[in-house]
Amino acid sequence: MSTDRKLIDPERVAAAVDGLGDRAVIDEWAQRFSVVADPSRLALLVSIHYAREISVTDLAVVTGMTDTAVSQALRLLRAHGLVTTQRTGRVVRYRLADATVHELIHRVRPHPQARTPEDRDR
């Protein structure tokens, strides 16, 4: 790396450059994060994560969205490789396709504690 600027910590700069790597990868992840940044799409991803596999109609109920809005959002999530489908007869269920998004959801929204039926009635 050559620069005509004076560096304070050249070793740290070198480590940062190595860590940054290919800018195309950074651009790709920035695009993915912009897709996930939408609250409705994030709600769909979190719901899919906890359900493991779930249909459009069921996702609409869970998120309070219309079937059409869910379908449009899922189309975008699928185009970005974040979800995939599994067809059983006429029913199409969505599941997470990206391990990094799976891990991210675990960090952002850990699994809730197991609840007893009595807890659910409160």
Side-chain angles (χ1 to χ4, degrees), residues 5-48:
R5 297 182 68 175
K6 181 174 167 98
L7 301 177
I8 295 170
D9 293 313
E11 299 83 21
R12 291 177 193 244
V13 171
V17 168
D18 288 344
L20 188 58
D22 184 1
R23 288 303 293 241
V25 173
I26 297 295
D27 293 345
E28 177 186 329
W29 274 102
Q31 188 67 260
R32 283 180 147 179
F33 282 130
S34 73
V35 170
V36 174
D38 176 78
S40 296
R41 292 189 294 259
L42 183 56
L44 290 171
L45 289 170
V46 170
S47 299
I48 293 166

Side-chain angles (χ1 to χ4, degrees), residues 44 56 65-77 94:
L44 290 171
V56 169
M65 297 167 64
T66 65
D67 285 14
T68 302
V70 169
S71 292
Q72 290 173 349
L74 288 171
R75 192 169 323 149
L76 182 63
L77 293 171
Y94 285 80

Side-chain angles (χ1 to χ4, degrees), residues 49-97:
H49 171 77
Y50 286 101
R52 295 199 175 119
E53 288 187 349
I54 189 168
S55 69
V56 169
T57 300
D58 291 346
L59 277 169
V61 170
V62 169
T63 60
M65 297 167 64
T66 65
D67 285 14
T68 302
V70 169
S71 292
Q72 290 173 349
L74 288 171
R75 192 169 323 149
L76 182 63
L77 293 171
R78 191 170 181 195
H80 284 275
L82 301 177
V83 298
T84 188
T85 60
Q86 175 68 43
R87 180 180 289 277
T88 307
R90 292 179 35 192
V91 177
V92 177
R93 290 183 180 86
Y94 285 80
R95 63 180 174 209
L96 293 183

